[in-house]
Amino acid sequence: MSLVISWRNGSPYAEKVAFTNKSRLRRAYDHSVECKLKEGTLDLCQAVTLLGTPKDMMIKENTQVIRYSYDGNMLRLFFRNRALVDYALVESRIN
């Protein structure tokens, strides 16, 4: 795992936090979790509690992106001010 925290000069607050999980362990995506991904009500902490440790995460002042890697799929969650705005499940197709 790696964690990078960036500060703006003169500010006591982090400007950006980036997290990467380099674990190769992948599990199958559970489609039943989608009913719990409620846009506008699910917050960042609830998402991590629900889905576990992400593949990577980028946290800035107003926007946050979390990605989860599953066996054959990638789930991307986009947050604004820590509230879920939208999410997308992208299937990986290998020919």
Side-chain angles (χ1 to χ4, degrees), residues 9 12-13 23 26 28 30 34-35 37-38 44-45 47 51 55 59 79 81 83 89:
N9 288 338
Y13 303 105
S23 172
R26 292 190 183 178
D30 179 6
E34 289 181 45
C35 66
L37 300 177
K38 299 206 184 281
L44 185 73
C45 292
L51 298 167
K55 177 186 182 297
I59 299 175
F79 298 82
N81 297 320
L89 180 65

Side-chain angles (χ1 to χ4, degrees), residues 12 38 62 65 73:
K38 299 206 184 281
N62 296 322
V65 178
N73 296 301

Side-chain angles (χ1 to χ4, degrees), residues 19-52:
F19 167 82
T20 303
N21 182 356
K22 296 181 183 190
S23 172
R24 299 221 183 255
L25 179 64
R26 292 190 183 178
R27 60 188 186 272
Y29 178 70
D30 179 6
H31 287 277
S32 68
V33 79
E34 289 181 45
C35 66
K36 297 175 184 175
L37 300 177
K38 299 206 184 281
E39 295 156 339
T41 60
L42 186 76
D43 71 25
L44 185 73
C45 292
Q46 291 169 327
V48 172
T49 299
L50 176 67
L51 298 167

Side-chain angles (χ1 to χ4, degrees), residues 3-15:
L3 176 67
V4 177
I5 302 173
S6 304
W7 278 271
R8 184 177 296 155
N9 288 338
S11 174
Y13 303 105
E15 180 179 49

